[in-house]
Amino acid sequence: MNYTDSNGLPDSISIAEYLFHRLKQLHIETIFGLPGAFNATLLDKLNEIPGLRWAGNTNELNAAYAADGYSRLKGLGCIITTFGVGELSAINGVAGSFAEHVGLLHVVGMPPTSAQTKQLLLHHTLGNGDYKVFHRMASEVTCYSTVINDKDLCGDEVDDCIAKAWTLQKPVYMGIPVNLVDTSVNSQRLNTALNLNLPSNDEQTENELVKQILQQLYKSKNPVIIADACVTRHRIVPETVELCQRTNFPIFATPMSKGAIDETLPNFGGVFMGSISSPEVREVVNFADFLIVIGCMLSDFSTSSFHFNYKTKECVLLYPTSVKFKHAIYPDLRIKSLMANLLRNLNESKIKYQSQPTPQMIIPRSELPSRHSLRHEWVWNQMSHWFQEGDIIITETGTSAFGINQTHFPHSSRGISQALWGSVGYTLGACLGASFAANEMARDQVTAVPHRVILFVGDGAFQLTVQEVSTMIRWGLTPYIFVMNNQGYSVDRFLHHRSNASYYDIQTWEYLRLIPLFGARHYETRKIVTVGDFLEMIHDPLFATNDKIRMLEIMLPPMDVPQALMDRWLTEQENKKRAAEESDGYTPNSEASSKKFCSDDISPAN
Amino acid sequence: MNYTDSNGLPDSISIAEYLFHRLKQLHIETIFGLPGAFNATLLDKLNEIPGLRWAGNTNELNAAYAADGYSRLKGLGCIITTFGVGELSAINGVAGSFAEHVGLLHVVGMPPTSAQTKQLLLHHTLGNGDYKVFHRMASEVTCYSTVINDKDLCGDEVDDCIAKAWTLQKPVYMGIPVNLVDTSVNSQRLNTALNLNLPSNDEQTENELVKQILQQLYKSKNPVIIADACVTRHRIVPETVELCQRTNFPIFATPMSKGAIDETLPNFGGVFMGSISSPEVREVVNFADFLIVIGCMLSDFSTSSFHFNYKTKECVLLYPTSVKFKHAIYPDLRIKSLMANLLRNLNESKIKYQSQPTPQMIIPRSELPSRHSLRHEWVWNQMSHWFQEGDIIITETGTSAFGINQTHFPHSSRGISQALWGSVGYTLGACLGASFAANEMARDQVTAVPHRVILFVGDGAFQLTVQEVSTMIRWGLTPYIFVMNNQGYSVDRFLHHRSNASYYDIQTWEYLRLIPLFGARHYETRKIVTVGDFLEMIHDPLFATNDKIRMLEIMLPPMDVPQALMDRWLTEQENKKRAAEESDGYTPNSEASSKKFCSDDISPAN
């Protein structure tokens, strides 16, 4: 039975209903945002579609973060905001999706066309009759933006917007004037699947490049594969894993792709973070004679990656829609087709590489007295042992973003972080979105195991977006929220010459009391102060089952940081010293770099 | 003693210090924002200036709202954010200041010039090397925007930015790359006061117009003065009051200027809100033969005001920088000079107007049984009697924005609301900013009486920006926070055909418990359910003294609204019915307008 029949749709439906059915066909079933005067009629339509739900966020920025988190697991997120105030509140979240290659559809309920034409003064305008200003602003952080205005073409326009957000994995902006919400569309359109095909690559170019890559691949003696963030965003994880398995090449993640590649693969070697990688990882990657970087996220060719350069000169960088091979740039090559071609033509027998042992992540199981207070280094190692298959692990910009890279992710677990955009507070929203997605994936049995959603967020970051915990409770979602309480913005404090400036302090909250305050009935909270508290928690088998929302406050000393952050700090001091000697005199941390580093400085009191 | 000597400043200071001293000279002593990697060095400088304080907000949108609230009392607000993530989070607040004519300086700490030139990939960029994108976006909602880059001119640039924000009462954007924070400026510049003079009006034009206005003014028999929002923003309250006193003309406020004009003036007649004004107000204003509207906020000439048209055809509209007199437009006339000219040439003996009694706001003191539950109508009347001299009264977009217009403000009280931009959640931030400002004004004895800061915010709106209550507690500020709990977004629910759609519901919180959770030690909370509870509260003399932070949860039925909102709803139904018959078929509320209105629908259960 076709879609319209099985959903009992009449021949003519409104453009709003059409939009929501299109999303439903892609299994995008939770829509984020807040109601407002100009989007209420859209929400009325949404409410009528069985199987879709309106999350009802607590503010628009959180809604955008949530849609982003949802998209990272389901391929597309959708937010609906109201004109002006709503859309601008969300724009930082949209920009984050743009920076990090996350597919997002931002639907904005707009004033009626007539008001726009007559430049009427309405609520949520700047009072100057300019109704295009917010659209112009949105166009700076979206890959495509449009305002629905042609009644005959609006079906095509909706298809186009969704397809672009899905395939390009960037935000798309679509304004719908309130008077056009009811514009009728022939529902039969829904019986033809949305065209989500990418344009084909030029065959000759693709073949030529594949041949060259294979030549290099066959002859290299110390090759390395690096899977970057776009392997998930552009859906080439299976191809990447196949390449790794058929070549037996060692494979590494980056901080942005942690969790994208199954870490139980025998040749998975850990996370490459340039100079702050573990010595074993650094050795293998830096001394590779051929680097295959798949799913590069950054579109700048001058730097090969974020925070670090690949030392290897023989390098192929596979971006979503282009390739850099050695010194040549191949624009307009889409990665999915290219990878398929590569795998089709790969002949394992020609590979010279002699399999060598890949660095293994050995997570120490150090024993400490129960009464000891907690330290990052120990906590992250313990966490690593607590993770289980299917976990969705979210880490906030801050100490957690560094700590997580020293953990080992089990089979079919996933990681979410915002390593490039780094908007503090992002993860509480993303955790909501991921929890909705995990729910739906479990129901649909997309993967073999159910998913626990586990968030690590600093106390400082937590305060920015705290109210979204309420939405999790409202929907009975069951994430683990680990609030890493180190009394302020520790990562900034640490990197800004380990300053004790008062502007890094935050107000002390009783975090755990928020859960009942926000209306939770079935929940668990724990304040974890000592090693004993921590061990009791992770050894409790009941604790491992995500049957309720949990908030865990992990008490950590303010100046204690994971090793990777310490390493980055040391590296930056070196770089700054050098930069100060050369360039334009930018030495903000000169005070620190001239101060001898002394590891005692960060010893805890106990 | 000059400024540099009395502050013990060396000859050469950094541009950052220069900026902060300039703000200090204007008594702008609290700066809002959050720390980040690219603004930390700016904050280091700020911390060194005695007399200035860094508010340390919980997120950037709240910080922008706070700076806006502060500015409405002190003439200018300043926020400092970090590049990309920080500035975009604030941009909805900045747009609000733009729409509502509020002077705001938005300082953005930017990556070093060298990184920008080399298009390095840094945190908080879109990953495409474009370092100008956020500046372009900001330029859409600011009256002036710049990035400091010329070491020789940066002193002038800072002066220019502050002067523009102060005199034009709009936001200004100033980016400071982190490597230029230490650029040295001659501190002697500080000994010359900032030039805050507006360009002079063309003398002939001004004289010609004043003559015409006076002719009309002298001969009119039923003249009316309306003071709109820009009388405070552009500092012409004294001139407006003088005109009212010397002419004896009746004067009215608008919803946007409520609190701007002393309501104890004998010829103050109340708030004019077009068709939803009280019958007495409507009669006087609609039948005036000459309307003098001073300090119009909206720059569109086609509509004479927001939500309503003035029926009177003989009308002079004095905008901040232009005038519309009858059908003629006079661009480039600044209001301050024009008003001074008008008052200089006003000859009271020529006035024909025979003083008539001005409508008086009579606030009913209806008595209800103690056990009665609360209704908006009664609550606002009671509030009116509880207000006292000097109060700063802040009302959120929602039911409060309507209720407040039926209250009477005592002498030297002030009103804050965001009637045009209407960004839900604005007032919690604005309340923080106003509380800082009230503190400083009390210390400086700017006005004869101390100021209580009183906020009315709906439960729905409260949730958007809740964390800013924590900043109030951190600083020991003592506002009254009335949470008008009517279980959701009532104003939207009401205006959207009084819908019971689930998207207007919100999660129920235990609001009062937030105060201790956020760390308050000295505080008062009350849950006000009945008439008796309410009367006990407002008759408690201890309650009237703002010696601690207070949160009061006022329980109201979901569909109970102030009379003005009911009137607006009825008017809108009429308009929509008419519009549906004519125009492009925009009848979102047709369901409601075709439904006979029945006042029983909103009766409370009791």
Side-chain angles (χ1 to χ4, degrees):
Chain A
M1 200 147 80
N2 65 23
Y3 186 86
T4 49
D5 289 345
S6 60
N7 285 270
L9 297 183
D11 278 352
S12 166
I13 58 174
S14 69
I15 186 65
E17 288 164 291
Y18 180 76
L19 162 67
F20 297 129
H21 280 293
R22 276 301 196 201
L23 291 174
K24 188 178 170 182
Q25 290 181 321
L26 295 173
H27 307 288
I28 307 309
E29 294 159 316
T30 307
I31 315 288
F32 301 89
L34 275 83
F38 299 124
N39 67 13
T41 47
L42 273 169
L43 303 189
D44 287 337
K45 302 292 180 192
L46 171 60
N47 265 358
E48 286 164 16
I49 316 260
L52 293 190
R53 58 181 166 184
W54 171 247
N57 296 87
T58 52
N59 71 40
E60 283 89 354
L61 180 56
N62 295 0
Y65 289 158
D68 180 297
Y70 182 90
S71 176
R72 287 177 193 235
L73 296 174
K74 300 207 60 175
L76 181 65
C78 176
I79 47 169
I80 304 181
T81 62
T82 198
F83 186 70
V85 291
E87 57 181 305
L88 289 192
S89 289
I91 208 165
N92 172 41
V94 176
S97 302
F98 185 85
E100 300 247 335
H101 277 257
V102 176
L104 189 83
L105 180 67
H106 186 183
V107 179
V108 178
M110 298 184 78
T113 322
S114 57
Q116 299 191 38
T117 314
K118 293 177 201 153
Q119 300 195 313
L120 289 190
L121 291 166
L122 292 182
H123 262 105
H124 312 330
T125 69
L126 296 177
N128 58 6
D130 183 352
Y131 279 81
K132 294 187 177 144
V133 52
F134 312 124
H135 182 185
R136 287 198 301 276
M137 292 166 81
S139 69
E140 297 280 3
V141 289
T142 49
C143 71
Y144 181 70
S145 64
T146 186
V147 173
I148 298 290
N149 63 11
D150 189 317
K151 293 186 179 190
D152 296 328
L153 295 177
C154 60
D156 291 338
E157 193 73 295
V158 165
D159 284 357
D160 203 28
C161 285
I162 297 174
K164 282 194 161 76
W166 180 273
T167 56
L168 302 177
Q169 286 295 300
K170 291 265 180 180
V172 166
Y173 176 97
M174 179 167 64
I176 307 187
V178 69
N179 60 308
L180 296 180
V181 166
D182 273 307
T183 305
S184 66
V185 178
N186 187 333
S187 68
Q188 293 299 317
R189 295 178 59 105
L190 292 168
N191 296 327
T192 309
L194 202 55
N195 179 3
L196 299 174
N197 296 327
L198 292 163
S200 314
N201 289 339
D202 178 75
E203 211 175 317
Q204 281 195 308
T205 315
E206 190 181 283
N207 289 337
E208 174 196 309
L209 177 61
V210 163
K211 204 170 149 189
Q212 290 194 53
I213 295 173
L214 286 175
Q215 272 176 359
Q216 190 75 35
L217 182 154
Y218 293 144
K219 73 178 181 197
S220 72
K221 290 184 183 154
N222 296 300
V224 158
I225 301 171
I226 298 207
D228 205 351
C230 282
V231 295
T232 49
R233 315 283 208 277
H234 291 270
R235 308 173 179 91
I236 44 159
V237 171
E239 291 86 344
T240 306
V241 170
E242 185 184 335
L243 182 69
C244 165
Q245 287 174 323
R246 287 174 56 195
T247 58
N248 247 326
F249 291 176
I251 185 165
F252 296 85
T254 69
M256 284 186 284
S257 68
K258 169 83 181 162
I261 296 297
D262 187 347
E263 302 193 357
T264 60
L265 282 175
N267 22 3
F268 180 77
V271 180
F272 178 67
M273 301 180 278
S275 58
I276 63 169
S277 313
S278 74
E280 303 78 36
V281 170
R282 208 160 54 212
E283 191 180 312
V284 177
V285 177
N286 282 350
F287 298 101
D289 60 353
F290 185 42
L291 261 185
I292 306 169
V293 188
I294 306 176
C296 301
M297 204 172 81
L298 302 165
S299 55
D300 186 294
F301 292 108
S302 64
T303 308
S304 51
S305 191
F306 180 51
H307 274 318
F308 49 88
N309 287 294
Y310 298 115
K311 293 202 174 169
T312 305
K313 293 291 161 249
E314 306 294 320
C315 207
V316 58
L317 303 173
L318 305 175
Y319 291 89
T321 57
S322 61
V323 177
K324 188 180 180 198
F325 181 62
K326 299 184 183 181
H327 295 284
I329 288 164
Y330 295 80
D332 260 334
L333 280 179
R334 273 144 293 272
I335 194 167
K336 184 105 185 155
S337 158
L338 185 80
M339 283 294 290
N341 191 331
L342 192 74
L343 292 170
R344 262 196 321 275
N345 287 288
L346 175 68
N347 180 342
E348 290 89 330
S349 68
K350 294 188 181 172
I351 294 176
K352 293 275 182 300
Y353 171 64
Q354 297 289 324
S355 210
Q356 290 151 23
T358 309
Q360 293 300 309
M361 292 188 79
I362 309 293
I363 313 293
R365 282 191 183 269
S366 57
E367 301 217 343
L368 287 176
S370 283
R371 292 173 57 198
H372 252 228
S373 60
L374 298 169
R375 298 292 302 272
H376 267 284
E377 193 61 21
W378 184 85
V379 164
W380 290 107
N381 289 340
Q382 294 299 321
M383 276 298 169
S384 194
H385 296 301
W386 180 73
F387 291 152
Q388 68 185 36
E389 281 199 22
D391 282 351
I392 294 159
I393 299 160
I394 308 173
T395 42
E396 177 66 47
T397 301
T399 45
S400 306
F402 291 88
I404 199 66
N405 291 324
Q406 70 187 65
T407 68
H408 185 270
F409 280 12
H411 182 65
S412 72
S413 54
R414 299 281 291 271
I416 293 179
S417 67
Q418 210 187 40
L420 170 64
W421 188 240
S423 188
V424 176
Y426 159 77
T427 54
L428 262 184
C431 178
L432 173 72
S435 299
F436 276 120
N439 250 215
E440 294 167 11
M441 287 154 68
R443 184 204 57 204
D444 299 342
Q445 299 182 304
V446 171
T447 44
V449 291
H451 300 283
R452 304 187 305 183
V453 175
I454 301 164
L455 168 64
F456 297 97
V457 56
D459 51 338
F462 181 84
Q463 295 196 355
L464 276 83
T465 47
V466 53
Q467 51 273 84
E468 218 52 46
V469 175
S470 158
T471 315
M472 299 173 197
I473 292 166
R474 188 174 172 196
W475 285 95
L477 301 172
T478 59
Y480 293 81
I481 304 173
F482 288 93
V483 178
M484 312 302 271
N485 187 346
N486 46 19
Q487 296 154 59
Y489 304 114
S490 282
V491 68
D492 290 305
R493 192 192 294 282
F494 190 82
L495 291 175
H496 188 53
H497 50 78
R498 302 158 77 221
S499 158
N500 58 3
S502 58
Y503 54 78
Y504 291 129
D505 297 339
I506 59 171
Q507 175 76 353
T508 303
W509 292 5
E510 296 184 34
Y511 295 98
L512 300 180
R513 293 195 180 206
L514 281 167
I515 301 292
L517 185 152
F518 285 150
R521 300 237 164 75
H522 193 52
Y523 65 92
E524 181 182 348
T525 59
R526 292 182 189 231
K527 185 161 188 163
I528 306 296
V529 180
T530 63
V531 162
D533 296 342
F534 193 93
L535 291 173
E536 190 187 318
M537 171 178 75
I538 60 169
H539 292 150
D540 178 353
L542 292 176
F543 181 77
T545 307
N546 62 332
D547 55 351
K548 56 184 89 154
I549 191 167
R550 285 185 172 88
M551 189 181 281
L552 306 315
E553 187 178 5
I554 311 289
M555 304 305 293
L556 291 156
M559 273 299 177
D560 173 44
V561 296
Q563 189 57 40
L565 180 52
M566 174 66 75
D567 292 343
R568 174 161 151 202
W569 186 77
L570 290 168
T571 310
E572 288 195 357
Q573 296 320 305
E574 282 304 311
N575 292 346
K576 269 168 195 151
K577 218 182 247 170
R578 262 205 309 281
E581 289 158 19
E582 313 161 3
S583 78
D584 57 3
Y586 163 51
T587 54
N589 293 8
S590 53
E591 188 188 323
S593 57
S594 64
K595 176 178 152 195
K596 188 182 162 295
F597 172 69
C598 168
S599 65
D600 294 342
D601 289 359
I602 59 149
S603 293
N606 63 306
Chain B
M1 200 146 80
N2 65 21
Y3 186 85
T4 48
D5 289 345
S6 61
N7 285 272
L9 297 183
D11 279 353
S12 167
I13 58 175
S14 69
I15 186 65
E17 290 164 290
Y18 180 75
L19 162 67
F20 296 128
H21 280 293
R22 276 302 196 201
L23 292 173
K24 188 177 169 182
Q25 289 181 322
L26 294 173
H27 306 288
I28 308 309
E29 294 158 316
T30 307
I31 316 289
F32 301 89
L34 274 83
F38 299 124
N39 68 13
T41 48
L42 273 168
L43 303 189
D44 287 337
K45 302 292 179 190
L46 171 60
N47 266 357
E48 286 164 15
I49 315 260
L52 293 191
R53 60 181 164 184
W54 171 246
N57 297 88
T58 52
N59 70 41
E60 283 89 354
L61 180 56
N62 294 359
Y65 289 158
D68 180 297
Y70 182 91
S71 176
R72 286 177 194 236
L73 296 173
K74 299 206 62 173
L76 180 65
C78 176
I79 47 167
I80 304 182
T81 62
T82 199
F83 185 72
V85 290
E87 58 180 303
L88 289 192
S89 289
I91 207 164
N92 172 40
V94 175
S97 302
F98 186 86
E100 300 247 335
H101 278 257
V102 175
L104 189 82
L105 181 66
H106 186 184
V107 179
V108 178
M110 298 183 78
T113 322
S114 57
Q116 298 191 38
T117 315
K118 293 178 202 154
Q119 301 195 313
L120 288 190
L121 292 167
L122 291 182
H123 261 105
H124 310 332
T125 68
L126 296 177
N128 58 5
D130 183 351
Y131 278 82
K132 293 186 177 146
V133 53
F134 312 124
H135 182 186
R136 287 198 302 275
M137 291 165 82
S139 69
E140 297 281 3
V141 290
T142 50
C143 71
Y144 181 70
S145 64
T146 187
V147 173
I148 298 290
N149 62 11
D150 188 317
K151 293 187 178 190
D152 297 329
L153 295 176
C154 62
D156 291 340
E157 193 73 294
V158 165
D159 284 357
D160 203 28
C161 284
I162 298 174
K164 281 195 163 76
W166 181 273
T167 56
L168 302 177
Q169 285 296 297
K170 289 265 180 182
V172 166
Y173 175 97
M174 179 167 63
I176 308 187
V178 70
N179 60 308
L180 296 179
V181 165
D182 273 307
T183 305
S184 66
V185 178
N186 187 333
S187 68
Q188 294 298 316
R189 294 177 62 105
L190 292 168
N191 296 326
T192 309
L194 202 56
N195 179 3
L196 299 175
N197 296 327
L198 292 163
S200 313
N201 288 339
D202 176 77
E203 211 174 320
Q204 279 195 312
T205 315
E206 190 181 281
N207 288 337
E208 174 195 311
L209 178 60
V210 163
K211 203 170 151 190
Q212 289 193 55
I213 295 173
L214 286 175
Q215 272 176 1
Q216 190 76 34
L217 183 153
Y218 293 145
K219 74 180 180 196
S220 73
K221 290 184 180 152
N222 296 300
V224 158
I225 300 172
I226 298 210
D228 205 352
C230 282
V231 295
T232 48
R233 315 284 208 276
H234 291 270
R235 307 175 179 90
I236 45 160
V237 171
E239 291 86 343
T240 306
V241 170
E242 184 183 336
L243 181 70
C244 166
Q245 288 172 324
R246 286 173 56 195
T247 58
N248 246 326
F249 291 175
I251 185 166
F252 296 84
T254 69
M256 285 186 283
S257 68
K258 169 83 182 163
I261 296 297
D262 187 347
E263 301 192 357
T264 61
L265 282 175
N267 21 1
F268 180 77
V271 180
F272 177 67
M273 301 180 277
S275 58
I276 63 169
S277 313
S278 73
E280 303 79 36
V281 170
R282 208 160 54 212
E283 190 180 314
V284 178
V285 177
N286 283 348
F287 298 101
D289 61 353
F290 185 42
L291 261 186
I292 306 168
V293 189
I294 306 176
C296 301
M297 203 172 81
L298 301 166
S299 55
D300 186 293
F301 292 108
S302 64
T303 310
S304 51
S305 192
F306 181 53
H307 274 317
F308 49 86
N309 288 294
Y310 297 116
K311 294 201 173 172
T312 306
K313 293 291 161 251
E314 306 294 320
C315 206
V316 58
L317 303 173
L318 306 174
Y319 292 89
T321 57
S322 61
V323 177
K324 186 180 181 199
F325 181 61
K326 298 183 182 180
H327 295 285
I329 287 164
Y330 296 80
D332 260 335
L333 280 178
R334 272 143 295 270
I335 194 167
K336 184 105 185 156
S337 159
L338 184 82
M339 283 293 290
N341 190 331
L342 192 75
L343 293 169
R344 262 197 320 274
N345 288 287
L346 175 69
N347 181 342
E348 289 89 330
S349 67
K350 295 187 180 173
I351 294 177
K352 292 277 180 301
Y353 171 65
Q354 297 290 322
S355 210
Q356 290 152 22
T358 309
Q360 292 299 308
M361 291 188 80
I362 310 291
I363 312 292
R365 282 191 183 269
S366 59
E367 300 217 345
L368 287 177
S370 285
R371 291 173 57 197
H372 252 227
S373 60
L374 299 168
R375 297 294 302 270
H376 268 285
E377 194 60 22
W378 184 85
V379 164
W380 289 108
N381 289 340
Q382 294 299 321
M383 276 298 168
S384 194
H385 295 301
W386 180 73
F387 290 152
Q388 69 185 36
E389 281 200 21
D391 281 352
I392 293 159
I393 299 159
I394 308 173
T395 42
E396 178 65 49
T397 302
T399 46
S400 306
F402 292 88
I404 199 67
N405 291 324
Q406 69 186 66
T407 69
H408 185 271
F409 280 11
H411 182 66
S412 71
S413 52
R414 300 281 291 272
I416 293 179
S417 67
Q418 210 188 40
L420 170 63
W421 188 239
S423 188
V424 175
Y426 159 76
T427 54
L428 263 184
C431 178
L432 173 73
S435 299
F436 275 120
N439 250 215
E440 294 166 12
M441 287 155 68
R443 183 204 58 203
D444 299 342
Q445 299 182 305
V446 172
T447 43
V449 289
H451 301 282
R452 304 187 304 182
V453 175
I454 301 163
L455 167 64
F456 297 97
V457 57
D459 53 338
F462 182 83
Q463 295 195 355
L464 275 83
T465 47
V466 53
Q467 51 274 82
E468 219 51 45
V469 175
S470 158
T471 314
M472 300 173 195
I473 291 166
R474 187 174 173 194
W475 285 95
L477 301 171
T478 59
Y480 294 80
I481 303 172
F482 289 92
V483 178
M484 313 302 270
N485 187 347
N486 46 19
Q487 297 154 59
Y489 303 115
S490 283
V491 69
D492 290 305
R493 192 193 293 281
F494 190 82
L495 292 175
H496 187 54
H497 50 79
R498 302 158 77 221
S499 158
N500 58 3
S502 58
Y503 53 78
Y504 291 129
D505 298 338
I506 59 171
Q507 175 75 352
T508 303
W509 292 4
E510 296 185 33
Y511 295 98
L512 300 180
R513 293 193 181 207
L514 280 166
I515 302 292
L517 185 153
F518 285 152
R521 300 237 165 74
H522 193 51
Y523 65 92
E524 181 181 346
T525 59
R526 292 182 190 230
K527 184 160 187 162
I528 307 295
V529 180
T530 64
V531 162
D533 296 341
F534 193 93
L535 290 173
E536 189 188 317
M537 171 179 76
I538 61 169
H539 292 151
D540 178 354
L542 292 177
F543 181 77
T545 308
N546 62 332
D547 55 351
K548 58 184 87 154
I549 190 167
R550 285 186 172 87
M551 189 181 282
L552 306 316
E553 187 177 4
I554 312 290
M555 304 306 292
L556 291 157
M559 273 297 178
D560 174 44
V561 298
Q563 189 56 40
L565 180 51
M566 176 66 76
D567 292 343
R568 175 164 150 201
W569 185 79
L570 290 168
T571 311
E572 288 194 359
Q573 296 319 305
E574 282 303 312
N575 293 345
K576 270 166 195 155
K577 220 181 246 170
R578 263 204 309 280
E581 288 157 18
E582 311 162 4
S583 79
D584 56 3
Y586 164 51
T587 53
N589 294 9
S590 53
E591 187 188 323
S593 57
S594 65
K595 176 178 152 194
K596 189 183 163 293
F597 172 70
C598 167
S599 65
D600 293 341
D601 288 359
I602 60 150
S603 293
N606 63 306

